[in-house]
Amino acid sequence: QGFVTGGKDGVVALWDDTFERCLKTYAIKRAALAPGSKGLLLEDNPSIRAISLGHGHILVGTKNGEILEVDKSGPITLLVQGHMEGEVWGLATHPHLPICATVSDDKTLRIWDLSPSHCMLAVRKLKKGGRCCCFSPDGKALAVGLNDGSFLIVNADTLEDLVSFQHRKDVISEIRFSPGAGKYLAVASCDNFVDIYNVMSSKRVGICKGASSYITHMDWDVRGKLLQVNTGAKEQLFFEAPRGKKQTIPSLEVEKIGWASWTSVLGSCCEGIWPIIGEVTDVTASCLTSDSKVLATGDDFGFVKLFRYPAK
């Protein structure tokens, strides 16, 4: 009976079967969203990349990773959305609310609801893409590491800037607040350094040197006085905080230390997570439960695995 088109102007148009008459247009705008929408539009009039006509409804896919349903009578419902171009690496769960933050190469920072709705609660655009993020222990601040070597701390509710720094040129690969009051922020980069900042005074107070490759994982001990670092050269390094002095710790002693988090993929207590035949980069992520009994891992083959901890 006709055609439906969508273009870069963010407008959906209905046409007659000869394309001579435009019967109706629908602008994809925040103001037009129906109350039942799951999430938020990143911007008004996003470029339309995919479109499908059904019975009384039009499905629209946008450049910004949104899928919307347009009712021919007018209302527009946002059904689902995600990040856009590039990769999503940065993910942080809130310390006590069922929400998480993600940051991506698409230059957006987003907050998501982890309850059944899974919808996006907040979003802001960034000057550069990002690879890591982390909530402060009280959940009020959110640190974001960017691809140009800079990082920023934002208000976790409003996503407005609190402070930003740039001491490095390469990607910020990992970022972590110290436990407890979150007084210190450790910022790891692909320049092979970890910088330690005093959050209260907004000053850099330490530099961890000695890694021979980019930093992949980083964890604080429960006292906030020691950092464990993994590198792309499969090194497991330890640094005293906040000054950043390198420490040598025997592997048996490492197991006795109480860690505020465990994301490391190296060390005697997680040797069992590695496949018998494999590359040094096969296991990319790990996370230990708060009772230190189960270690979850993520790998380059698309598997999430659960191990008893320690995984010998």
Side-chain angles (χ1 to χ4, degrees):
Q1 293 176 355
F3 297 94
V4 60
T5 60
K8 197 174 179 180
D9 58 2
V11 175
V12 175
L14 275 176
W15 303 81
D16 66 7
D17 54 1
T18 58
F19 265 121
E20 282 174 359
R21 252 176 3 107
C22 179
L23 307 173
K24 197 163 185 183
T25 59
Y26 308 87
I28 308 295
K29 289 196 165 157
R30 294 186 183 107
L33 283 190
S37 291
K38 289 195 172 174
L40 311 162
L41 272 185
L42 188 65
E43 60 193 3
D44 282 339
N45 299 101
S47 286
I48 294 165
R49 288 284 175 85
I51 199 152
S52 173
L53 187 55
H55 295 282
H57 295 274
I58 304 160
L59 274 181
V60 178
T62 74
K63 173 175 151 284
N64 295 342
E66 298 139 351
I67 298 175
L68 303 112
E69 188 177 60
V70 180
D71 190 298
K72 282 191 190 165
S73 62
I76 298 173
T77 308
L78 179 57
L79 301 179
V80 67
Q81 67 189 135
H83 280 279
M84 314 177 282
E85 66 245 279
E87 301 181 8
V88 183
W89 285 48
L91 166 71
T93 51
H94 193 280
H96 44 257
L97 296 175
I99 60 174
C100 75
T102 57
V103 64
S104 148
D105 290 342
D106 70 4
K107 302 180 186 166
T108 64
L109 168 67
R110 299 167 186 246
I111 307 288
W112 305 88
D113 184 1
L114 293 177
S115 68
S117 78
H118 293 154
C119 67
M120 190 174 79
L121 302 172
V123 59
R124 71 160 277 186
K125 293 181 182 176
L126 304 166
K127 290 188 178 72
K128 298 282 178 192
R131 280 281 160 103
C132 55
C133 54
C134 178
F135 282 99
S136 60
D138 63 6
K140 290 180 179 171
L142 179 58
V144 184
L146 303 181
N147 292 349
D148 65 347
S150 66
F151 72 91
L152 52 136
I153 302 175
V154 302
N155 178 312
D157 291 328
T158 63
L159 302 188
E160 288 169 1
D161 283 17
L162 297 172
V163 65
S164 67
F165 282 98
Q166 178 151 15
H167 283 122
R168 301 290 164 208
K169 294 188 174 70
D170 213 334
V171 175
I172 301 299
S173 53
E174 187 63 285
I175 196 161
R176 292 216 172 259
F177 283 94
S178 61
K183 182 180 177 184
Y184 296 109
L185 181 68
V187 182
S189 75
C190 290
D191 292 354
N192 309 359
F193 295 103
V194 177
D195 296 309
I196 301 174
Y197 295 82
N198 182 323
V199 179
M200 315 296 173
S201 66
S202 296
K203 285 190 172 72
R204 180 165 65 169
V205 290
I207 302 173
C208 306
K209 303 172 182 171
S212 63
S213 184
Y214 57 94
I215 313 296
T216 56
H217 306 84
M218 180 170 65
D219 296 291
W220 289 90
D221 78 328
V222 288
R223 302 168 309 139
K225 297 211 156 73
L226 187 70
L227 271 176
Q228 169 180 233
V229 168
N230 288 186
T231 77
K234 216 171 179 182
E235 300 164 302
Q236 183 186 26
L237 306 172
F238 301 94
F239 297 95
E240 178 200 0
R243 288 187 311 156
K245 190 166 181 268
K246 199 170 171 187
Q247 303 285 318
T248 306
I249 302 175
S251 59
L252 284 170
E253 293 297 312
V254 176
E255 291 186 35
K256 295 176 189 166
I257 295 168
W259 296 99
S261 64
W262 183 282
T263 60
S264 174
V265 294
L266 303 174
S268 61
C269 41
C270 54
E271 276 168 0
I273 68 177
W274 291 87
I276 296 162
I277 305 161
E279 296 289 318
V280 296
T281 54
D282 281 350
V283 184
T284 48
S286 87
C287 187
L288 186 61
T289 53
S290 51
D291 62 5
S292 301
K293 290 195 172 157
V294 179
L295 185 70
T297 67
D299 62 35
D300 269 0
F301 309 108
F303 288 106
V304 173
K305 297 177 182 173
L306 299 180
F307 294 89
R308 281 192 194 87
Y309 183 84
K312 298 287 187 175

